[in-house]
Amino acid sequence: MVQFIVGQRGKGKTKQLIEKANSTVKEAKGNVDFLDRSAQHMYELNNKIRLINVNEFQLDSEDAFIGFVSGIISQDHDLEYLFLDSFLKLASLEGKPITDCIRKLDLLSDKYKVNIVSSLSMSPDEVPADLKDHIALAL
């Protein structure tokens, strides 16, 4: 299942996501990947975490994003955790409905046993009702 760290812009979601990734990698039996829009946080992440700068790839739609995540999962059978910073921007979903994309990520997560944790720039009240159970932390 996809888990969210939710809050408005500037509330510290990225910091919480990095801390969770760094604590998770110490206990994880598999690999941990962190998708971000830049390499800015490279030195804040544990060196065992694979940082993927998504801006180096041409992702301009929800389908492209789902295909990209599918490709990451398919090439790493030991992937256990996937952290997504700025989910709405990564998936090109700013101002658009997110439910379908989250459902697709849930299917991938369940099928391949990959835990997905994502920051989501919206208040808990703005999260669609059928996705509220995905909220792990609200800031």
Side-chain angles (χ1 to χ4, degrees):
M1 182 168 91
V2 178
Q3 294 182 329
F4 299 136
I5 296 174
V6 298
Q8 294 294 344
R9 191 171 189 269
K11 293 290 184 180
K13 296 177 301 298
T14 297
K15 181 180 178 191
Q16 291 291 324
L17 194 67
I18 289 170
E19 287 175 9
K20 184 155 179 63
N22 285 334
S23 64
T24 298
V25 77
K26 295 174 186 171
E27 301 163 7
K29 293 178 177 32
N31 295 330
V32 177
D33 287 358
F34 192 101
L35 274 63
D36 202 348
R37 294 177 302 123
S38 72
Q40 174 183 356
H41 302 293
M42 180 180 355
Y43 299 108
E44 297 171 60
L45 291 167
N46 184 301
N47 65 351
K48 293 180 182 169
I49 297 172
R50 179 181 174 207
L51 174 65
I52 300 172
N53 180 355
V54 177
N55 278 347
E56 293 179 356
F57 304 91
Q58 295 179 351
L59 303 182
D60 56 3
S61 69
E62 173 187 337
D63 289 336
F65 176 73
I66 293 295
F68 187 74
V69 170
S70 298
I72 290 169
I73 293 171
S74 74
Q75 66 88 30
D76 186 353
H77 297 285
D78 294 323
L79 185 63
E80 186 176 357
Y81 285 91
L82 185 61
F83 291 88
L84 310 173
D85 192 23
S86 303
F87 168 74
L88 296 175
K89 291 181 182 178
L90 294 178
S92 302
L93 289 173
E94 290 180 294
K96 299 177 184 173
I98 64 170
T99 303
D100 287 345
C101 186
I102 298 302
R103 294 290 176 228
K104 291 173 187 175
L105 289 174
D106 274 339
L107 289 172
L108 288 171
S109 173
D110 292 343
K111 183 174 183 178
Y112 297 104
K113 308 294 186 254
V114 176
N115 301 296
I116 300 175
V117 183
S118 174
S119 66
L120 188 59
S121 292
M122 57 177 55
S123 72
D125 297 337
E126 294 174 306
V127 175
D130 56 337
L131 297 178
K132 295 234 187 248
D133 61 329
H134 287 64
I135 298 174
L137 178 64
L139 302 173

